[in-house]
Amino acid sequence: ANGYYHSRWAKCMWSSHDLSDAVLIDNYIFNKDVYIQFNSTVGEFVGYTELGVHNARLWNNNPGQLQGERAELERYCKPTAEIVQSTITGKS
């Protein structure tokens, strides 16, 4: 199939049981290349291409979008991590 592919890949990572080190990384990908990324440790969008740098500037200056992305760590990552941890602990 010839064409262009846009995808978004968000991942949550943690290594402690209290989830104090949990991190959200949200990648925006065009044709297999990450062009912009949000990392909850950094707290803002970072662009890796000309388009990504442009979008990062716009998105970082949009308080609603930035706050929404920052909130995903608490809304999605930590509850999901708790479920995964309880499932793993229950099996051992």
Side-chain angles (χ1 to χ4, degrees):
N2 294 327
Y4 299 100
Y5 301 95
H6 183 265
S7 61
R8 184 175 172 189
W9 182 32
K11 55 187 168 183
C12 304
M13 299 181 296
W14 69 94
S15 61
S16 66
H17 288 289
D18 66 0
L19 305 177
S20 60
D21 63 345
V23 176
L24 166 69
I25 297 179
D26 193 358
N27 293 306
Y28 293 78
I29 304 161
F30 182 73
N31 284 353
K32 300 182 183 178
D33 291 323
V34 175
Y35 68 95
I36 191 168
Q37 180 184 80
F38 177 85
N39 181 321
S40 63
T41 303
V42 176
E44 64 183 20
F45 293 94
V46 176
Y48 295 103
T49 65
E50 187 177 341
L51 176 63
V53 170
H54 174 75
N55 285 341
R57 191 175 308 114
L58 293 174
W59 297 356
N60 288 332
N61 287 320
N62 180 338
Q65 184 167 7
L66 196 55
Q67 187 59 32
E69 191 75 33
R70 289 175 178 161
E72 287 300 294
L73 181 65
E74 298 295 327
R75 187 197 72 79
Y76 177 72
C77 286
K78 289 186 178 181
T80 301
E82 289 172 357
I83 292 168
V84 169
Q85 285 186 171
S86 67
T87 302
I88 292 170
T89 305
K91 303 254 184 211
S92 47

